[in-house]
């Protein structure tokens, strides 16, 4: 539920902090004081559309922030949504923030992290339902009607089975569509796959051969230069020239002199050992260089073969992957695809058989779901009509309309008829009403006025309260078009509703306001030439005075009426 609300620079609100409790929260005040602005701010906080004109004059931005507690009953609905976006900090609390900037940019945050407005709207729809004059009316969304009926009829088990079968069927259809497309392209595709597989396999690729080939090509291409280099090194190290002794000769002479030195001074033996070691290393170097020289090939034919092999590998990499490993992997996948296509006909037959079985199971589950819905539709209509009679809508007829469409590609019912189906079932559901005597039933979304819609939703919420987990319900001027007597009935119903939900209600009727667990007075004042909205939490004498003012001018009569009203409400609510 909404526990704290902070608003800055929104319309005529400069800064406002509000703390709300569970139960029924009532807001009263004169027209134009800012009650509806509060509702607009909450709508904006939940991801609703806002205009930069709502930013207070002279301010760069408007800020709205709300703190919500998450009841355990909503964990399964809200936690996965937050976890998927890495936004879940505390399982029991949630902070929403909306900034509306003068430059037209909107910033939405959840638990301090930026999110898209669409995500804020999706999450907000699971926290609060607003009923009133705005477009945010769940009752006016036809696709919501079937969900309300399912909650009332307690059809979760039947719907869950249907939805699982529906998802399995959609997945199977997707597989079949792919296989049929593959079958249509089979001849061309088979030829292409066979060519690709043969081209790769005939190359007899080895994963590590490219490095070796590049090394060999480098050696073959530079054979003459390499031989010259080795000859030069050997001449300096081992062969020498008439003018210059070789390194080997020089080191040999050095060893001879060191031997003479060691005979005289044995402490210098270590120098002889070091020089002998150097001589051995030079000898080993000479051996390796001569061996390397013997293996240098002047072989243009082999160079041509290596170039051709590297060209083949490069061509295959260009077609099938950026490495030999990728090329071989491509060939393996091509084999698997070829096998799938080759046996596509068999697979299609198997999947078609499974599809027919799933369609039969879906028809059975769909009919069970439809029976449950239809069995409870009449009961829902009766209960809503009874609620509406108490809400001064005595003549309203309410009906749940079911529509099925014949479809040759649909599911076959037990009576042999084939009907269309979707993720919600085998029918479309829509609420119809006849608000006045003599008028036929018509779609609720087309003819219900704002006040009627609010009372209809109140009736629905009272009927569905036990099944509906939505934490917070907001009713904006639900008392439109009703008098004091019915206002008391509406107030009692809202009070009953507040035992399952947090209820926030804007009203002009004292008979309704008296049922509030918390009562707030919204008023405006002029300060330094600017109009400001303020809110006061009313208790004791302040609340009595507000209720008296709602009856008329303050007098002994209105004060007594307010006292009598509070006494009557206290007696009615204590009987629960």
């Amino acid at each position: 539920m909404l526990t704290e609300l902070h608003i800055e620079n929104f319309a005529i609100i400069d800064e406002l902090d509000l703390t709300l409790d569970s139960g029924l929260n009532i807001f009263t005040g004169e027209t134009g004081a800012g009650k509806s602005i509060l509702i607009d701010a909450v709508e904006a906080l939940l991801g609703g559309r806002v205009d930069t004109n709502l930013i207070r004059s002279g301010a760069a931005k408007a800020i709205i922030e709300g703190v919500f507690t998450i009841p355990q009953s909503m964990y399964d609905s809200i936690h996965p949504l937050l976890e998927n976006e890495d936004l879940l900090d505390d399982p029991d609390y949630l902070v929403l923030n909306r900034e509306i900037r003068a430059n037209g940019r909107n910033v939405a945050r959840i638990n301090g992290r930026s999110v898209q407005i669409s995500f804020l709207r999706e999450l907000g729809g699971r926290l609060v339902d607003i009923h009133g004059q705005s477009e945010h009316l769940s009752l006016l969304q036809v696709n919501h009607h079937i969900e309300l009926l399912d909650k009332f009829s307690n059809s979760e088990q039947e719907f869950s089975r249907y939805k699982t079968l529906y998802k399995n069927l959609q997945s199977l259809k997707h597989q079949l569509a792919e296989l049929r497309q593959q079958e249509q392209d089979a001849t061309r595709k088979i030829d292409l796959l066979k060519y690709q597989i043969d081209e790769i396999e005939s190359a007899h690729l080895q994963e590590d051969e490219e490095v070796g080939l590049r090394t060999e090509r480098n050696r073959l291409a530079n054979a003459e230069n390499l031989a010259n280099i080795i000859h030069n090194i050997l001449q300096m190290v081992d062969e020498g020239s008439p003018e210059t002794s070789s390194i080997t000769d020089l080191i040999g002479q050095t060893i001879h002199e060191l031997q003479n030195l060691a005979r005289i001074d044995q402490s210098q033996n270590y120098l002889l050992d070091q020089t002998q070691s150097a001589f051995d290393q030079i000898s080993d170097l000479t051996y390796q260089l001569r061996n390397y020289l013997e293996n240098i090939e002047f072989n243009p034919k082999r160079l041509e073969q290596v170039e051709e092999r590297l060209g083949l590998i490069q061509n295959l990499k260009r077609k099938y992957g950026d490495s030999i490993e990728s090329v071989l992997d491509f060939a393996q996948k091509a084999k698997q695809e070829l096998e799938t296509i080759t046996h596509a006909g068999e697979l299609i037959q198997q999947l078609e058989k499974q599809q027919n079985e799933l369609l039969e199971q879906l028809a059975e589950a769909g009919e069970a779901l439809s029976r449950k819905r239809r069995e409870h539709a009449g009961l829902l209509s009766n209960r809503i009509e009874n609620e509406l009679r108490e809400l001064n809508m005595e003549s309203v007829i309410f009906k749940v309309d079911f529509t099925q469409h014949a479809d040759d590609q649909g599911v076959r019912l037990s009576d042999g008829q084939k009907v269309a189906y979707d993720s919600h079932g085998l029918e479309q559901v829509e609420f119809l009403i006849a608000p006045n005597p003599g008028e036929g039933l018509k779609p609720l979304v087309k003819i219900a006025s704002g006040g009627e819609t609010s009372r209809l939703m109140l009736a629905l919420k009272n009927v569905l309260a036990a099944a509906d987990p939505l934490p917070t319900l907001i009713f904006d001027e639900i008392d439109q078009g009703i008098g004091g007597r019915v206002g008391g009935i509406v107030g009692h119903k809202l009070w009953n509703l507040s035992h399952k939900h947090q209820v926030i209600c804007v009203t002009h009727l004292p008979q309704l306001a008296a049922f509030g667990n918390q009562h707030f007075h919204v008023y405006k004042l002029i300060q330094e030439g600017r109009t400001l909205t303020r809110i006061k939490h009313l208790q004791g004498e302040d609340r009595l005075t507000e209720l008296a003012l709602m009856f008329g001018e303050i007098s002994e009569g209105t004060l007594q009426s307010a006292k009598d009203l509070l006494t009557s409400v206290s007696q009615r609510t204590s009987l629960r």
Side-chain angles (χ1 to χ4, degrees), residues 27-60:
F27 288 81
T28 60
E30 295 182 359
T31 300
K35 301 185 299 298
S36 294
I37 293 174
L38 280 173
I39 306 301
D40 291 341
V42 174
E43 282 197 274
L45 181 64
L46 299 174
R49 293 182 181 178
V50 289
D51 195 301
T52 53
N53 292 329
L54 287 170
I55 300 174
R56 183 171 167 77
S57 178

Side-chain angles (χ1 to χ4, degrees), residues 156-206:
E156 286 83 0
Q157 185 176 348
E158 288 84 357
F159 181 68
S160 177
R161 180 170 184 268
Y162 176 88
K163 194 169 184 179
T164 299
L165 290 168
Y166 178 82
K167 286 182 177 179
N168 292 342
L169 181 61
Q170 295 307 110
S171 175
L172 192 64
K173 282 187 170 183
H174 181 70
Q175 292 179 54
L176 271 170
E178 286 187 342
L179 281 172
R180 285 173 178 144
Q181 184 63 45
Q182 289 176 0
E183 192 178 42
Q184 288 179 5
D185 302 334
T187 302
R188 179 185 60 81
K189 189 69 172 178
I190 287 172
D191 289 344
L192 175 62
L193 288 171
K194 284 182 175 179
Y195 171 80
Q196 291 172 333
I197 294 167
D198 182 64
E199 185 179 28
I200 294 171
E201 289 189 339
S202 63
H204 302 292
L205 298 175
Q206 302 296 323

